Amino acid sequence: MKNIKISALLLVLILTVTLAYAQNNDSIATAKKWVKSRVWAKDLKLKIDPSVNSVEFKRQYEANPALWDKVLKFLGDSKLATLAPGKYPIEGTDAYAMIAAGPPKNIDDVKWESHRKFIDLQYVIAGKVKLGVAAVSSATVTAPYDETRDAANYTVEGKYYEATPEEFFLFFPQDAHRPDIKVDGYDTLRKLVIKVPYQK
């Protein structure tokens, strides 16, 4: 009798785990399909980098589509190449954009970071750099979260991607990132970062 109860409990546990796994895979597949459909893009021609967390992007967009539509409209503005470095509010939202220009950085000079209040949308307007991405959950904190900077710093092993004017990246609070790393042959960088309020 005791063995039957244990077997029944194991069966329930296996079924629960299997169902949760299937639901998670279904939500990932649904989110990837949504991203691929580009219903969120409107007139935006840029690609979203495949490394971006599709599930989180879909969740954030659907939590506030009016905000994201304005953010993505700013991203697609043909005047980005001529805007002076500085900070630009995105009309009617708590999001804001920052344009920076200058040389890319040596890898040893770039810290891993993450943010809690804002999502980082990063786009290389001109040039090419490498950037690293890693899960905060696997990182070791080197500087604890500072609310004033909305940032924490880490050490971690991550994956590296090349950022070019063809695609943009999104970094959510669970994403440690290491931006603006020099690629040989590219000595100047013009970059856009849009800070988008994170919906918990």
Side-chain angles (χ1 to χ4, degrees):
M1 188 70 171
K2 187 176 179 182
N3 285 344
I4 292 172
K5 284 184 179 178
I6 291 170
S7 296
L9 283 171
L10 281 173
L11 182 60
V12 168
L13 180 61
I14 289 167
L15 287 172
T16 303
V17 170
T18 303
L19 181 61
Y21 180 77
Q23 287 174 336
N24 186 49
N25 278 353
D26 183 50
S27 68
I28 292 169
T30 300
K32 285 187 174 181
K33 185 176 178 183
W34 176 82
V35 169
K36 192 174 180 182
S37 76
R38 294 186 62 84
V39 293
W40 49 271
K42 309 296 189 272
D43 296 326
L44 183 69
K45 303 295 185 224
L46 295 174
K47 296 182 292 185
I48 186 168
D49 192 83
S51 67
V52 170
N53 182 329
S54 301
V55 173
E56 189 65 65
F57 178 37
K58 182 175 186 287
R59 187 178 81 78
Q60 291 295 318
Y61 181 92
E62 290 177 347
N64 196 340
L67 167 75
W68 280 95
D69 288 348
K70 288 182 178 182
V71 164
L72 295 169
K73 184 177 180 183
F74 190 97
L75 174 63
D77 192 324
S78 61
K79 298 187 188 97
L80 284 183
T82 60
L83 287 177
K87 185 174 175 180
Y88 296 85
I90 296 181
E91 185 182 355
T93 75
D94 293 328
Y96 60 94
M98 295 178 293
I99 303 270
K105 301 171 185 173
N106 293 320
I107 192 165
D108 293 338
D109 297 328
V110 185
K111 295 178 180 177
W112 288 94
E113 63 183 21
S114 74
H115 314 289
R116 292 184 187 173
K117 296 178 187 173
F118 288 92
I119 299 160
D120 261 13
L121 184 158
Q122 298 204 10
Y123 171 61
V124 170
I125 300 166
K128 181 191 281 190
V129 290
K130 280 197 310 184
L131 52 82
V133 185
V136 166
S137 59
S138 65
T140 301
V141 175
T142 57
Y145 178 73
D146 179 339
E147 192 166 355
T148 307
R149 295 187 308 121
D150 184 36
N153 296 113
Y154 308 89
T155 57
V156 66
E157 293 295 321
K159 291 185 179 177
Y160 288 85
Y161 302 88
E162 284 195 344
T164 70
E166 278 75 53
E167 72 282 303
F168 67 95
F169 291 78
L170 291 170
F171 302 114
F172 302 102
Q174 60 269 36
D175 302 321
H177 50 285
R178 194 181 197 189
D180 305 344
I181 300 164
K182 182 173 172 50
V183 170
D184 287 344
Y186 293 85
D187 297 323
T188 59
L189 171 65
R190 184 177 177 81
K191 178 184 170 183
L192 166 71
V193 176
I194 301 180
K195 294 286 192 176
V196 185
Y198 179 70
Q199 304 292 318
K200 291 184 181 175

